[in-house]
Amino acid sequence: MRLSEAIKRLAVNAVDAASPIDLVIGEVTMASPLHIRLNENSKLIIPEELLIWPKRLNKGEDDELKKGDSIMVLAMAGGQSFYIIDKLLGR
């Protein structure tokens, strides 16, 4: 491996390791199927296929997600998975 390739690989790994997840606030834009929008990018709608959430937030449960709910979301590095942690109150 050339020195330039090794330096590039180290730099990429350092950036990836610095922030593997982001904690962001979002909003439920549609309940069924579930779609959310993150507050940091109001134009991007994230579909259900990329979302993970606890069972207690499922449709039919006492704490089900509804359109307009504010939520706390962990956005995984790469933007291909989003974990809904919980609903937010007072927003």
Side-chain angles (χ1 to χ4, degrees):
M1 176 183 299
R2 296 187 347 210
L3 180 59
S4 62
E5 291 174 26
I7 292 171
K8 182 178 178 181
R9 180 177 285 172
L10 286 172
V12 168
N13 289 343
V15 169
D16 288 345
S19 182
I21 59 171
D22 286 323
L23 186 61
V24 294
I25 295 173
E27 178 184 349
V28 176
T29 59
M30 186 185 306
S32 185
L34 185 59
H35 287 75
I36 67 169
R37 176 178 45 233
L38 302 180
N39 288 2
E40 60 186 32
N41 185 347
S42 62
K43 294 182 180 180
L44 177 65
I45 303 295
I46 301 168
E48 187 172 288
E49 296 80 38
L50 299 178
L51 300 172
I52 303 165
W53 62 92
K55 181 181 176 189
R56 63 184 167 73
L57 298 177
N58 273 344
K59 185 175 181 175
E61 299 291 328
D62 289 339
D63 206 20
E64 73 180 90
L65 292 169
K66 297 180 181 88
K67 182 177 179 176
D69 282 345
S70 289
I71 52 176
M72 184 61 62
V73 180
L74 286 176
M76 310 303 175
Q80 296 301 311
S81 292
F82 301 86
Y83 182 78
I84 301 171
I85 298 172
D86 210 346
K87 290 183 181 183
L88 297 176
L89 299 176
R91 288 204 45 94

Coordinates of all heavy atoms in Angstrom, one line a residue:
M1 N 0.9 -1.2 0.0 CA 0.0 0.0 0.0 C 0.9 1.2 0.0 O 1.8 1.3 0.8 CB -0.9 0.0 1.2 CG -1.7 1.2 1.4 SD -2.8 1.3 2.9 CE -3.8 -0.1 2.7
R2 N 0.6 2.2 -0.9 CA 1.3 3.4 -0.9 C 1.0 4.3 0.3 O -0.1 4.2 0.9 CB 1.0 4.2 -2.2 CG 1.5 3.4 -3.4 CD 1.3 4.1 -4.7 NE 0.5 5.3 -4.7 CZ -0.1 5.8 -5.7 NH1 -0.2 5.1 -6.8 NH2 -0.8 6.9 -5.6
L3 N 1.9 5.2 0.6 CA 1.8 6.1 1.7 C 0.5 7.0 1.6 O -0.2 7.1 2.5 CB 3.0 6.9 1.9 CG 3.0 7.9 3.1 CD1 2.8 7.2 4.4 CD2 4.3 8.7 3.2
S4 N 0.3 7.5 0.4 CA -0.9 8.3 0.2 C -2.2 7.6 0.4 O -3.1 8.1 1.0 CB -0.8 8.9 -1.2 OG -0.9 7.9 -2.2
E5 N -2.2 6.3 0.0 CA -3.4 5.5 0.2 C -3.6 5.3 1.7 O -4.8 5.3 2.2 CB -3.3 4.2 -0.5 CG -3.4 4.3 -2.0 CD -3.1 3.0 -2.7 OE1 -3.4 1.9 -2.1 OE2 -2.7 3.1 -3.9
A6 N -2.6 5.0 2.4 CA -2.6 4.7 3.9 C -3.1 6.0 4.6 O -4.0 5.9 5.5 CB -1.3 4.3 4.4
I7 N -2.6 7.1 4.2 CA -3.0 8.4 4.9 C -4.5 8.7 4.6 O -5.3 9.0 5.5 CB -2.2 9.6 4.4 CG1 -0.7 9.4 4.9 CG2 -2.8 10.9 4.8 CD1 0.2 10.4 4.4
K8 N -4.9 8.4 3.3 CA -6.3 8.6 3.0 C -7.2 7.7 3.8 O -8.3 8.1 4.3 CB -6.5 8.4 1.5 CG -8.0 8.6 1.0 CD -8.1 8.4 -0.5 CE -9.5 8.5 -0.9 NZ -9.6 8.3 -2.4
R9 N -6.9 6.4 3.9 CA -7.6 5.5 4.7 C -7.7 5.9 6.1 O -8.8 5.8 6.8 CB -7.1 4.1 4.6 CG -7.9 3.0 5.4 CD -7.3 1.7 5.2 NE -7.7 1.2 3.9 CZ -7.3 0.1 3.3 NH1 -6.5 -0.7 4.0 NH2 -7.7 -0.3 2.2
L10 N -6.6 6.3 6.7 CA -6.6 6.8 8.1 C -7.6 8.0 8.3 O -8.3 8.1 9.3 CB -5.2 7.1 8.6 CG -4.3 6.0 8.8 CD1 -2.9 6.4 9.1 CD2 -4.8 5.1 10.0
A11 N -7.5 8.9 7.4 CA -8.4 10.1 7.5 C -9.9 9.7 7.4 O -10.7 10.2 8.2 CB -8.0 11.1 6.4
V12 N -10.2 8.9 6.5 CA -11.6 8.4 6.3 C -12.1 7.7 7.6 O -13.2 8.0 8.1 CB -11.8 7.5 5.1 CG1 -13.1 6.8 5.1 CG2 -11.6 8.4 3.8
N13 N -11.3 6.8 8.1 CA -11.6 6.1 9.3 C -11.8 7.0 10.5 O -12.7 6.8 11.4 CB -10.6 5.0 9.6 CG -10.6 3.9 8.7 OD1 -11.6 3.7 8.0 ND2 -9.6 3.1 8.6
A14 N -10.9 8.1 10.6 CA -11.0 9.0 11.7 C -12.3 9.8 11.6 O -13.0 10.0 12.7 CB -9.8 10.0 11.7
V15 N -12.7 10.2 10.5 CA -14.0 11.0 10.3 C -15.2 10.1 10.6 O -16.1 10.5 11.3 CB -14.1 11.5 8.9 CG1 -15.5 12.0 8.6 CG2 -13.1 12.6 8.6
D16 N -15.2 8.8 10.2 CA -16.3 7.9 10.5 C -16.4 7.6 11.9 O -17.5 7.5 12.5 CB -16.1 6.6 9.7 CG -16.4 6.8 8.2 OD1 -16.9 7.8 7.8 OD2 -16.0 5.9 7.4
A17 N -15.3 7.5 12.6 CA -15.2 7.2 14.0 C -15.6 8.4 14.9 O -16.1 8.2 16.0 CB -13.9 6.7 14.5
A18 N -15.4 9.6 14.4 CA -15.7 10.8 15.2 C -17.2 10.9 15.5 O -17.6 11.4 16.6 CB -15.2 12.0 14.4
S19 N -18.1 10.5 14.6 CA -19.5 10.7 14.8 C -20.3 9.6 14.1 O -20.9 9.8 13.1 CB -19.9 12.1 14.3 OG -21.3 12.3 14.5
P20 N -20.3 8.4 14.7 CA -21.0 7.3 14.1 C -22.5 7.5 14.1 O -23.2 6.9 13.3 CB -20.6 6.1 14.9 CG -20.2 6.6 16.2 CD -19.7 8.0 15.9
I21 N -23.0 8.3 15.0 CA -24.5 8.6 15.1 C -24.7 10.0 15.4 O -23.9 10.7 16.1 CB -25.2 7.7 16.1 CG1 -24.6 7.9 17.5 CG2 -25.2 6.2 15.7 CD1 -25.4 7.2 18.6
D22 N -25.9 10.5 15.0 CA -26.3 11.9 15.4 C -27.6 11.8 16.1 O -28.5 11.0 15.7 CB -26.5 12.8 14.2 CG -25.1 13.2 13.6 OD1 -24.2 13.5 14.3 OD2 -25.1 13.3 12.3
L23 N -27.8 12.6 17.1 CA -29.1 12.6 17.9 C -29.8 13.9 17.3 O -29.3 15.0 17.4 CB -28.8 12.8 19.4 CG -30.0 12.7 20.3 CD1 -30.8 11.4 20.1 CD2 -29.6 12.9 21.7
V24 N -31.0 13.7 16.7 CA -31.7 14.8 16.1 C -33.2 14.7 16.5 O -33.7 13.7 16.8 CB -31.5 14.8 14.6 CG1 -30.1 15.0 14.2 CG2 -32.0 13.5 14.0
I25 N -33.8 15.8 16.3 CA -35.3 15.9 16.5 C -36.0 15.8 15.2 O -35.5 16.4 14.2 CB -35.6 17.2 17.3 CG1 -35.0 17.2 18.7 CG2 -37.1 17.4 17.3 CD1 -35.2 18.5 19.4
G26 N -37.1 15.1 15.2 CA -37.9 15.0 13.9 C -39.3 15.1 14.2 O -39.8 15.3 15.3
E27 N -40.1 14.9 13.2 CA -41.6 15.0 13.2 C -42.2 13.9 12.4 O -41.7 13.6 11.3 CB -42.1 16.3 12.8 CG -43.6 16.5 12.8 CD -44.0 17.8 12.2 OE1 -43.2 18.7 11.9 OE2 -45.2 17.9 11.9
V28 N -43.2 13.2 12.9 CA -43.9 12.2 12.1 C -44.8 13.0 11.1 O -45.6 13.8 11.4 CB -44.8 11.4 13.0 CG1 -45.7 10.4 12.2 CG2 -44.0 10.6 14.1
T29 N -44.6 12.7 9.8 CA -45.3 13.3 8.7 C -46.5 12.4 8.3 O -47.4 12.9 7.7 CB -44.4 13.7 7.5 OG1 -43.8 12.5 7.0 CG2 -43.4 14.7 7.9
M30 N -46.4 11.1 8.5 CA -47.4 10.2 8.1 C -47.3 9.0 9.1 O -46.2 8.5 9.3 CB -47.2 9.7 6.7 CG -48.4 8.9 6.2 SD -48.1 8.2 4.5 CE -47.7 9.7 3.5
A31 N -48.4 8.5 9.6 CA -48.4 7.4 10.5 C -48.5 6.1 9.9 O -47.9 5.1 10.4 CB -49.6 7.6 11.5
S32 N -49.2 5.9 8.8 CA -49.3 4.6 8.2 C -49.3 4.7 6.6 O -50.3 5.3 6.1 CB -50.6 3.9 8.6 OG -50.7 2.6 8.1
P33 N -48.3 4.3 6.0 CA -47.0 3.8 6.5 C -46.2 5.0 7.2 O -46.4 6.2 6.8 CB -46.2 3.3 5.3 CG -46.8 4.1 4.1 CD -48.2 4.4 4.5
L34 N -45.4 4.6 8.1 CA -44.6 5.6 8.9 C -43.6 6.4 8.0 O -42.8 5.8 7.3 CB -43.9 5.0 10.0 CG -43.2 5.9 11.0 CD1 -44.2 6.9 11.7 CD2 -42.5 5.0 12.1
H35 N -43.7 7.7 8.1 CA -42.7 8.6 7.4 C -42.4 9.7 8.4 O -43.2 10.2 9.1 CB -43.3 9.2 6.2 CG -43.4 8.3 5.0 ND1 -44.4 7.4 4.9 CD2 -42.7 8.2 3.9 CE1 -44.3 6.7 3.8 NE2 -43.2 7.2 3.1
I36 N -41.1 10.1 8.5 CA -40.7 11.2 9.3 C -39.9 12.2 8.6 O -39.3 11.9 7.5 CB -39.8 10.7 10.5 CG1 -38.5 10.1 10.1 CG2 -40.6 9.7 11.4 CD1 -37.5 9.8 11.2
R37 N -39.8 13.4 9.2 CA -38.9 14.5 8.6 C -38.0 14.9 9.8 O -38.5 15.1 10.9 CB -39.8 15.6 8.1 CG -39.0 16.8 7.7 CD -39.8 17.9 7.1 NE -41.0 18.2 8.0 CZ -42.2 18.3 7.5 NH1 -42.5 18.0 6.3 NH2 -43.2 18.6 8.4
L38 N -36.7 15.0 9.5 CA -35.8 15.5 10.5 C -35.8 17.0 10.5 O -35.8 17.6 9.4 CB -34.4 15.0 10.3 CG -34.3 13.4 10.3 CD1 -32.9 13.0 10.0 CD2 -34.8 12.8 11.6
N39 N -35.7 17.7 11.6 CA -35.7 19.1 11.7 C -34.6 19.8 11.0 O -34.7 20.9 10.5 CB -35.8 19.6 13.1 CG -37.2 19.3 13.7 OD1 -38.1 18.7 13.1 ND2 -37.4 19.7 15.0
E40 N -33.4 19.1 10.9 CA -32.2 19.7 10.3 C -32.3 19.7 8.7 O -31.5 20.3 8.1 CB -31.0 19.0 10.7 CG -30.9 17.5 10.4 CD -29.7 16.8 11.0 OE1 -29.3 17.2 12.1 OE2 -29.3 15.8 10.4
N41 N -33.3 19.0 8.2 CA -33.5 19.0 6.7 C -35.0 18.8 6.4 O -35.5 17.7 6.2 CB -32.7 17.8 6.0 CG -32.8 17.9 4.5 OD1 -33.6 18.6 4.0 ND2 -31.9 17.1 3.9
S42 N -35.7 19.9 6.4 CA -37.2 19.9 6.3 C -37.7 19.3 5.0 O -38.9 19.0 4.9 CB -37.7 21.2 6.6 OG -37.3 22.1 5.6
K43 N -36.9 19.2 4.0 CA -37.3 18.7 2.7 C -37.2 17.2 2.5 O -37.9 16.6 1.7 CB -36.6 19.4 1.6 CG -36.9 20.9 1.5 CD -36.1 21.5 0.3 CE -36.4 23.0 0.3 NZ -35.8 23.7 -0.8
L44 N -36.4 16.6 3.4 CA -36.1 15.1 3.3 C -37.1 14.4 4.1 O -37.2 14.5 5.3 CB -34.7 14.8 3.7 CG -34.3 13.3 3.7 CD1 -34.3 12.8 2.3 CD2 -33.0 13.1 4.4
I45 N -37.9 13.5 3.5 CA -38.9 12.7 4.1 C -38.3 11.3 4.2 O -37.9 10.7 3.1 CB -40.2 12.6 3.4 CG1 -40.8 14.0 3.3 CG2 -41.2 11.7 4.1 CD1 -41.2 14.7 4.6
I46 N -38.2 10.7 5.4 CA -37.6 9.4 5.5 C -38.7 8.3 5.6 O -39.6 8.4 6.5 CB -36.7 9.3 6.8 CG1 -35.6 10.4 6.6 CG2 -36.1 7.9 7.0 CD1 -34.8 10.7 7.9
P47 N -38.7 7.3 4.7 CA -39.7 6.3 4.6 C -39.5 5.2 5.7 O -38.4 5.0 6.2 CB -39.6 5.7 3.2 CG -38.1 5.9 2.9 CD -37.7 7.1 3.6
E48 N -40.6 4.5 5.9 CA -40.6 3.4 6.9 C -39.5 2.4 6.7 O -39.0 1.8 7.7 CB -42.0 2.7 6.9 CG -42.3 1.7 7.9 CD -43.7 1.2 7.9 OE1 -44.6 2.0 8.3 OE2 -43.9 0.1 7.5
E49 N -39.2 2.1 5.5 CA -38.1 1.1 5.2 C -36.8 1.4 5.8 O -36.0 0.5 6.1 CB -37.9 0.9 3.7 CG -39.1 0.5 2.9 CD -40.2 1.6 2.6 OE1 -39.8 2.7 2.4 OE2 -41.4 1.3 2.7
L50 N -36.5 2.7 6.1 CA -35.2 3.1 6.7 C -35.3 3.3 8.2 O -34.4 3.7 8.9 CB -34.7 4.3 6.1 CG -34.4 4.2 4.6 CD1 -33.9 5.6 4.0 CD2 -33.4 3.1 4.3
L51 N -36.5 3.1 8.8 CA -36.8 3.4 10.2 C -36.8 2.2 11.1 O -37.3 1.1 10.7 CB -38.1 4.1 10.3 CG -38.2 5.5 9.6 CD1 -39.6 6.0 9.7 CD2 -37.2 6.5 10.2
I52 N -36.4 2.3 12.3 CA -36.4 1.3 13.4 C -37.1 2.0 14.6 O -36.7 3.2 14.9 CB -35.0 0.8 13.7 CG1 -34.3 0.2 12.5 CG2 -35.1 -0.3 14.8 CD1 -32.8 0.0 12.7
W53 N -38.0 1.4 15.2 CA -38.6 2.0 16.4 C -39.1 0.9 17.4 O -39.3 -0.2 17.0 CB -39.8 2.9 16.0 CG -40.9 2.2 15.3 CD1 -42.0 1.6 15.9 CD2 -41.1 1.9 13.9 NE1 -42.8 1.0 15.0 CE2 -42.3 1.2 13.8 CE3 -40.3 2.1 12.8 CZ2 -42.7 0.7 12.5 CZ3 -40.7 1.7 11.6 CH2 -41.9 1.0 11.4
P54 N -39.2 1.3 18.7 CA -39.6 0.4 19.7 C -41.1 -0.1 19.5 O -41.9 0.7 19.0 CB -39.5 1.1 21.0 CG -39.0 2.5 20.7 CD -38.9 2.6 19.2
K55 N -41.4 -1.3 19.9 CA -42.7 -1.9 19.7 C -43.8 -1.0 20.4 O -44.9 -0.9 19.8 CB -42.7 -3.3 20.3 CG -44.1 -4.0 20.2 CD -44.1 -5.3 20.8 CE -45.5 -5.9 20.7 NZ -45.6 -7.1 21.4
R56 N -43.5 -0.4 21.5 CA -44.5 0.4 22.2 C -45.0 1.6 21.4 O -46.0 2.2 21.7 CB -44.0 0.9 23.5 CG -42.8 1.8 23.4 CD -42.2 2.2 24.8 NE -40.9 2.8 24.7 CZ -40.7 4.0 24.2 NH1 -41.8 4.8 23.9 NH2 -39.5 4.5 24.1
L57 N -44.3 2.0 20.3 CA -44.7 3.1 19.4 C -45.4 2.6 18.2 O -45.8 3.4 17.3 CB -43.5 3.9 19.0 CG -42.7 4.6 20.1 CD1 -41.5 5.3 19.5 CD2 -43.6 5.5 20.9
N58 N -45.7 1.3 18.1 CA -46.4 0.7 16.9 C -47.9 1.1 16.9 O -48.4 1.5 18.0 CB -46.4 -0.8 17.0 CG -45.2 -1.4 16.4 OD1 -44.5 -0.8 15.6 ND2 -44.9 -2.7 16.7
K59 N -48.5 1.1 15.7 CA -49.9 1.3 15.6 C -50.7 0.3 16.5 O -50.3 -0.8 16.5 CB -50.3 1.2 14.1 CG -51.7 1.6 13.9 CD -52.0 1.6 12.4 CE -53.5 2.0 12.2 NZ -53.9 2.1 10.8
G60 N -51.6 0.8 17.2 CA -52.5 0.0 18.0 C -52.0 -0.1 19.5 O -52.7 -0.6 20.3
E61 N -50.7 0.4 19.7 CA -50.2 0.4 21.1 C -50.7 1.6 21.8 O -51.1 2.6 21.2 CB -48.7 0.3 21.1 CG -48.1 -1.0 20.4 CD -48.4 -2.2 21.3 OE1 -48.4 -2.2 22.5 OE2 -48.6 -3.3 20.6
D62 N -50.5 1.7 23.1 CA -51.0 2.8 23.9 C -50.2 4.1 23.5 O -50.8 5.2 23.6 CB -50.8 2.6 25.4 CG -51.8 1.6 26.0 OD1 -52.8 1.4 25.3 OD2 -51.5 1.0 27.0
D63 N -49.0 4.0 23.1 CA -48.1 5.1 22.8 C -47.8 5.3 21.3 O -46.8 5.7 20.9 CB -46.9 5.0 23.6 CG -46.2 6.4 23.9 OD1 -47.0 7.4 23.8 OD2 -45.0 6.4 24.2
E64 N -48.8 4.8 20.5 CA -48.5 4.8 19.0 C -48.1 6.2 18.5 O -48.6 7.2 19.0 CB -49.7 4.2 18.3 CG -50.9 5.1 18.2 CD -52.0 4.5 17.4 OE1 -52.9 3.9 18.0 OE2 -52.1 4.7 16.2
L65 N -47.3 6.1 17.4 CA -46.9 7.4 16.7 C -48.1 7.9 15.9 O -48.8 7.1 15.2 CB -45.7 7.1 15.9 CG -44.4 6.8 16.6 CD1 -43.4 6.3 15.6 CD2 -43.9 8.0 17.4
K66 N -48.3 9.2 15.9 CA -49.3 9.9 15.2 C -48.7 11.0 14.4 O -47.7 11.6 14.8 CB -50.4 10.4 16.1 CG -51.1 9.4 16.9 CD -52.2 10.0 17.8 CE -52.9 8.9 18.6 NZ -52.3 8.6 19.8
K67 N -49.4 11.4 13.3 CA -48.9 12.5 12.5 C -48.8 13.8 13.4 O -49.7 14.1 14.2 CB -49.9 12.8 11.3 CG -49.5 13.9 10.4 CD -50.4 14.1 9.3 CE -49.9 15.3 8.4 NZ -50.7 15.4 7.2
G68 N -47.7 14.5 13.2 CA -47.4 15.7 14.0 C -46.6 15.5 15.3 O -46.2 16.4 15.9
D69 N -46.5 14.2 15.7 CA -45.7 13.9 16.9 C -44.2 14.4 16.7 O -43.6 14.1 15.7 CB -45.7 12.4 17.2 CG -46.9 11.9 17.9 OD1 -47.7 12.8 18.4 OD2 -47.1 10.7 17.9
S70 N -43.7 15.0 17.7 CA -42.2 15.3 17.7 C -41.5 14.1 18.3 O -42.0 13.5 19.3 CB -41.9 16.5 18.6 OG -42.4 17.7 18.0
I71 N -40.4 13.7 17.7 CA -39.7 12.5 18.1 C -38.2 12.8 18.2 O -37.7 13.7 17.6 CB -39.9 11.4 17.1 CG1 -39.6 11.9 15.6 CG2 -41.3 10.8 17.2 CD1 -39.8 10.8 14.6
M72 N -37.5 12.0 19.0 CA -36.0 12.0 19.1 C -35.5 10.8 18.3 O -36.0 9.7 18.4 CB -35.6 11.9 20.6 CG -34.1 12.0 20.8 SD -33.4 13.5 20.3 CE -34.2 14.7 21.3
V73 N -34.6 11.1 17.4 CA -34.1 10.1 16.4 C -32.6 10.0 16.5 O -31.9 11.0 16.5 CB -34.5 10.5 15.0 CG1 -34.0 9.4 14.0 CG2 -36.0 10.7 14.9
L74 N -32.1 8.7 16.5 CA -30.7 8.5 16.2 C -30.5 8.2 14.8 O -31.0 7.3 14.2 CB -30.2 7.3 17.0 CG -30.0 7.4 18.5 CD1 -29.7 6.1 19.1 CD2 -29.0 8.5 18.9
A75 N -29.7 9.1 14.1 CA -29.4 8.9 12.7 C -28.0 8.2 12.6 O -27.0 8.7 13.1 CB -29.3 10.3 12.0
M76 N -28.0 7.0 12.0 CA -26.8 6.3 11.9 C -25.9 6.8 10.8 O -26.4 7.4 9.9 CB -27.1 4.8 11.6 CG -28.1 4.1 12.5 SD -27.6 4.2 14.2 CE -29.1 3.5 15.0
A77 N -24.6 6.6 10.9 CA -23.6 7.1 9.9 C -24.0 6.5 8.6 O -24.4 5.4 8.4 CB -22.2 6.7 10.3
G78 N -23.9 7.4 7.6 CA -24.3 6.9 6.2 C -25.7 7.3 5.8 O -26.1 7.2 4.7
G79 N -26.5 7.6 6.8 CA -27.9 8.0 6.5 C -28.8 6.9 6.0 O -29.8 7.2 5.3
Q80 N -28.5 5.6 6.3 CA -29.3 4.6 5.8 C -30.2 3.9 6.8 O -31.1 3.1 6.5 CB -28.5 3.5 5.1 CG -27.8 4.0 3.9 CD -28.7 4.5 2.8 OE1 -29.7 3.9 2.5 NE2 -28.5 5.7 2.3
S81 N -30.0 4.3 8.1 CA -30.8 3.8 9.2 C -31.1 4.9 10.2 O -30.2 5.6 10.5 CB -30.1 2.6 9.9 OG -30.0 1.5 9.1
F82 N -32.3 4.9 10.7 CA -32.8 5.9 11.7 C -33.5 5.2 12.8 O -34.5 4.5 12.5 CB -33.6 6.9 11.0 CG -32.9 7.7 9.9 CD1 -32.9 7.1 8.6 CD2 -32.2 8.8 10.1 CE1 -32.2 7.8 7.6 CE2 -31.5 9.5 9.1 CZ -31.5 8.9 7.8
Y83 N -33.1 5.4 14.0 CA -33.8 4.7 15.2 C -34.6 5.8 15.9 O -34.0 6.7 16.5 CB -32.8 4.0 16.1 CG -33.4 3.3 17.2 CD1 -34.0 2.1 17.0 CD2 -33.5 3.9 18.5 CE1 -34.7 1.4 18.1 CE2 -34.1 3.2 19.5 CZ -34.7 2.0 19.3 OH -35.3 1.4 20.4
I84 N -35.9 5.6 16.0 CA -36.8 6.5 16.7 C -36.7 6.1 18.2 O -37.1 5.0 18.5 CB -38.2 6.5 16.2 CG1 -38.3 6.9 14.8 CG2 -39.1 7.4 17.1 CD1 -39.6 6.7 14.1
I85 N -36.2 6.9 19.0 CA -36.0 6.6 20.5 C -37.3 6.8 21.2 O -37.7 5.9 21.9 CB -34.9 7.5 21.1 CG1 -33.6 7.3 20.4 CG2 -34.8 7.2 22.6 CD1 -32.5 8.2 20.9
D86 N -37.9 7.9 21.0 CA -39.2 8.2 21.8 C -39.8 9.4 21.3 O -39.3 10.2 20.5 CB -38.8 8.4 23.3 CG -39.9 8.0 24.2 OD1 -41.1 7.8 23.8 OD2 -39.6 7.8 25.4
K87 N -41.1 9.7 21.8 CA -41.8 10.9 21.5 C -41.2 12.0 22.4 O -40.7 11.7 23.5 CB -43.3 10.7 21.8 CG -44.0 9.8 20.9 CD -45.5 9.9 21.3 CE -46.3 9.0 20.5 NZ -47.7 9.1 20.9
L88 N -41.4 13.2 22.0 CA -41.0 14.4 22.8 C -42.2 15.1 23.3 O -43.2 15.2 22.5 CB -40.1 15.3 22.0 CG -38.8 14.8 21.5 CD1 -38.1 15.8 20.7 CD2 -37.9 14.4 22.7
L89 N -42.2 15.6 24.5 CA -43.3 16.3 25.0 C -42.9 17.8 25.1 O -41.8 18.1 25.2 CB -43.7 15.9 26.4 CG -44.1 14.4 26.6 CD1 -44.3 14.0 28.0 CD2 -45.4 14.2 25.7
G90 N -43.9 18.7 25.0 CA -43.6 20.1 25.1 C -43.0 20.7 23.9 O -42.4 21.8 24.0
R91 N -43.2 20.1 22.7 CA -42.6 20.7 21.5 C -43.7 21.1 20.6 O -44.7 20.4 20.5 CB -41.7 19.8 20.8 CG -40.4 19.7 21.6 CD -39.2 19.2 20.8 NE -39.1 19.8 19.6 CZ -38.3 20.9 19.3 NH1 -37.7 21.5 20.3 NH2 -38.2 21.4 18.1

